[in-house]
Amino acid sequence: MTSPQSILEHTFGYTRFRGPQREVIDTLMAGGDALVLMPTGGGKSLCYQIPALAREGCGVVISPLIALMQDQVEALCAAGVRAAFLNSSLPPEQAQQIKAELVAGELDLLYLAPERLLQPRTLAMLRRVSLSLFAIDEAHCVSQWGHDFRADYLQLNCLHEQFPAVPRIALTATADRRTRAEIAERLDLADARHFVSSFDRPNIRYRIAQKDNPRRQLLDFLRSEQAGHSGIVYCLSRSKVESTADWLVQQGFTALPYHAGLPAALRAEHQRRFLREDGVIVVATIAFGMGIDKPDVRFVAHLDLPKSIEAYYQETGRAGRDGEPATALLLYGLEDVVKLGQMAANSEGSEEHRRQERNRLNAMLGLCEITSCRRQALLRYFAEELEQPCGNCDTCLEPPQTWDGTEAATKLLSCVYRTGQRFGAAHVIDVLRGSTSEKVLKFGHDQVSTYGIGTDLSSTEWRGVVRQLVVRGYLEVNGEAFGALQLTEACRPLLRGEEKVQLRKLPARVRRPESSGRRSVEEVDPADQPLWEALRNCRREIAEARGVPPYVVFHDATLREMLATRPQTPEALLAISGVGDSKLQRFGDAFLAVLRDFPPQ
């Protein structure tokens, strides 16, 4: 038997193990099970690849993505490892050859998708061969609360039942305490040793800003900091992915779209180019990225708010896998919050599931609004404390404008306490603002001492206070008690007056352009004149084709707002006054085509 240290040195070319790798490998070598939580780029793969090579038999790796299998197998084969994968991309004769090699004991590692593994004929085949271990990669896919849930993962507990003597290792880069417990329960890993590495990715600089002409913000970022670098730009919708990629190409970048609505062959080609060419930017929905092994991704930019901190952490973690400096840029706006809130409210599943989604969205928004070190808040979400501010996030490098929120925080915390720590943010804010709602009166909360003491702040401002106190650990949201706000031990010094808290100022609300009164074409800024004429021509052509007056298509006021805001997606166009669902469906594509020829300045 070749030793793990020898395999590390001679097969993979490293001289020493990192973090808990050696302990994980020793556990598997001794026949034990392991649950490994290690950040992207932390060396998870070696935790199962080395013992698979050192133990007798073939290691079976369950992976959710074909592209990831191909990348890892290519890398292993280049290192001299007898590795292969079985998935739908293989022709039948090649798949048959790999099965024959497995049965003959000629493979060290075999990668399978969960749905392939669970087929009766696959399980029967595996029972005929010597197995060194099972590795369940991206194990957070088993979590029904998570953003990457895969139903097939729920059935992987059969490995414990059918192969009790084969050690198992479950690995993920993204799992809070709740998700770790769920992984252990659903995969029958109750007796597994848990190895939890630091979530910190110190080489990634976290930057979060409110949207203020996001295309201009992205362009400034790319041109000033990321020229010639590879990166990922995430968007919430498929249409925004495609329009953003087209626009980046117009700006001189090599940009490729990626989303689930594109043909599989095109997606594979774009992913291949991203992995193998320099300076390629992929513009994608979250359909892209899990398992991406490209080490030199220098930036990840979000043009829309991720729906949870778990998603944000995992997606940003695709930058800087090589340990070199990388940047995570997030631009967010109120429209993101509204859209994601609606998605959570309308999502399928139980009320508990929807409540968890709302709580995670609030935590994500709290991270955006915090004034202290973002890395400390991010790590705290995963139950890890960073003693000192990181010095490598925007709030450390350029502290935001703040206000003394001590009095407001004390009022809020006191109101949570006075109302019994049984109610969500909306009700607590109603009490603070002196609402006479049925619910306030029903519970007699118009009689508590904190009733009406918060009229100096709007409901929106109070929600910002709530989110910031949650993310700082003064409050927690109990997802099992209908989102009730509850005090933590950390809030005691604040309530006793021994501590002060600075809160981030809410940005000034951007007002829509006024549309009252008549305005002439001559009043349009000369720089905007070409776009104004193009919008009018588009309207005229549609009106002529339909045999109706131009104003039946859109009023001038609507065109003016398009001119001022320059929406680039159907969602943004729908927010324009005078654009409804029907007009969006009938006319939206034509106007968006015009607007994309005139990107925001």
Side-chain angles (χ1 to χ4, degrees), residues 46 57 60 161 176 184 266 268 280 310 319 376 379 400 483 486 583 593:
L46 290 182
V60 176
E161 299 164 0
D176 57 14
L266 185 61
V280 174
E310 290 93 339
Q376 285 181 314
L379 295 177
Q486 297 179 345
K583 287 191 175 183

Side-chain angles (χ1 to χ4, degrees), residues 148-162:
D148 283 324
F149 172 64
R150 306 291 176 96
D152 290 312
Y153 267 66
L154 294 177
Q155 302 177 55
L156 294 180
N157 58 352
C158 74
L159 300 178
H160 176 60
E161 299 164 0
Q162 298 191 35

Side-chain angles (χ1 to χ4, degrees), residues 214-224 247 251 253:
R215 286 197 170 183
R216 176 188 53 77
Q217 290 170 285
L218 177 63
L219 189 60
D220 289 346
F221 169 70
L222 294 178
R223 286 181 171 168
S224 63
W247 172 73
Q251 305 306 313
F253 297 94

Side-chain angles (χ1 to χ4, degrees), residues 28-213:
L28 293 169
M29 292 296 294
D33 297 330
L35 172 57
V36 175
L37 183 66
M38 192 177 287
T40 302
K44 291 190 296 297
S45 298
L46 290 182
C47 291
Y48 60 82
Q49 290 172 347
I50 288 179
L53 298 176
R55 288 173 57 88
E56 182 181 350
C58 178
V60 176
V61 184
I62 297 96
S63 174
L65 293 177
I66 290 176
L68 174 59
M69 296 182 200
Q70 294 171 332
D71 295 339
Q72 294 216 348
V73 167
E74 285 180 359
L76 286 166
C77 290
V81 177
R82 300 179 301 174
F85 59 83
L86 282 173
N87 60 43
S88 58
S89 70
L90 296 178
E93 60 274 13
Q94 188 176 355
Q96 199 59 42
Q97 175 63 31
I98 291 171
K99 293 176 185 178
E101 293 173 356
L102 173 67
V103 173
E106 298 173 357
L107 289 181
D108 300 312
L109 280 159
L110 176 66
Y111 285 74
L112 296 169
E115 57 271 19
R116 167 80 66 148
L117 171 80
L118 294 167
Q119 293 174 358
R121 63 178 180 271
T122 303
L123 293 170
M125 177 180 66
L126 293 178
R127 283 192 289 269
R128 297 167 50 199
V129 303
S130 174
L131 299 176
S132 58
L133 56 81
F134 285 107
I136 303 170
D137 203 9
E138 307 289 354
H140 62 276
C141 291
V142 78
S143 173
Q144 290 181 294
W145 304 107
H147 60 288
D148 283 324
F149 172 64
R150 306 291 176 96
D152 290 312
Y153 267 66
L154 294 177
Q155 302 177 55
L156 294 180
N157 58 352
C158 74
L159 300 178
H160 176 60
E161 299 164 0
Q162 298 191 35
F163 304 91
V166 180
R168 293 168 300 142
I169 176 174
L171 309 102
T172 180
T174 312
D176 57 14
R177 281 175 292 186
R178 177 190 182 116
T179 303
R180 293 201 295 272
E182 191 174 1
I183 291 171
E185 177 186 357
R186 295 188 183 279
L187 296 181
D188 280 344
L189 288 169
D191 297 327
R193 284 192 63 186
H194 289 213
F195 298 90
V196 180
S197 299
S198 171
F199 280 88
D200 193 11
R201 297 286 307 283
N203 62 310
I204 297 178
R205 175 170 294 179
Y206 297 105
R207 287 165 50 182
I208 301 177
Q210 282 251 334
K211 288 181 180 177
D212 177 19
N213 196 331

Side-chain angles (χ1 to χ4, degrees), residues 387-558:
E387 291 186 4
Q388 299 294 328
C390 72
N392 194 30
C393 69
D394 55 351
T395 52
C396 284
L397 296 168
E398 299 178 27
Q401 288 190 322
T402 62
W403 60 288
D404 186 348
T406 307
E407 181 179 347
T410 303
K411 289 179 180 179
L412 177 66
L413 294 170
S414 299
C415 194
V416 170
Y417 179 76
R418 298 294 179 190
T419 52
Q421 304 186 70
R422 296 168 46 222
F423 299 89
H427 180 75
V428 173
I429 291 170
D430 278 349
V431 175
L432 281 168
R433 289 183 46 78
S435 170
T436 56
S437 70
E438 180 181 350
K439 188 174 180 181
V440 170
L441 300 178
K442 173 185 175 182
F443 288 99
H445 290 159
D446 57 329
Q447 303 300 314
V448 299
S449 59
T450 52
Y451 179 75
I453 65 171
T455 56
D456 53 324
L457 297 181
S458 68
S459 295
T460 299
E461 290 169 322
W462 276 119
R463 286 195 293 270
V465 174
V466 170
R467 286 188 293 266
Q468 293 184 62
L469 293 187
V470 168
V471 81
R472 292 186 184 211
Y474 294 116
L475 279 173
E476 62 184 9
V477 180
N478 188 339
E480 297 178 358
F482 301 95
L485 295 179
Q486 297 179 345
L487 307 183
T488 69
E489 285 297 316
C491 79
R492 290 184 179 276
L494 188 59
L495 286 171
R496 289 197 296 255
E498 300 169 358
E499 189 174 288
K500 292 185 178 295
V501 61
Q502 291 288 314
L503 300 179
R504 178 185 292 270
K505 284 186 178 180
L506 288 178
R509 179 172 299 176
V510 178
R511 299 183 60 186
R512 284 186 170 188
E514 306 224 351
S515 57
S516 59
R518 294 179 58 87
R519 299 185 182 184
S520 66
V521 175
E522 288 72 24
E523 294 175 329
V524 173
D525 189 308
D528 293 333
Q529 197 70 40
L531 174 55
W532 175 249
E533 292 298 337
L535 290 171
R536 287 167 56 85
N537 288 337
C538 178
R539 180 177 63 175
R540 186 184 66 252
E541 291 171 2
I542 293 174
E544 289 176 352
R546 291 178 173 267
V548 297
Y551 65 81
V552 171
V553 179
F554 287 127
H555 285 198
D556 274 3
T558 301

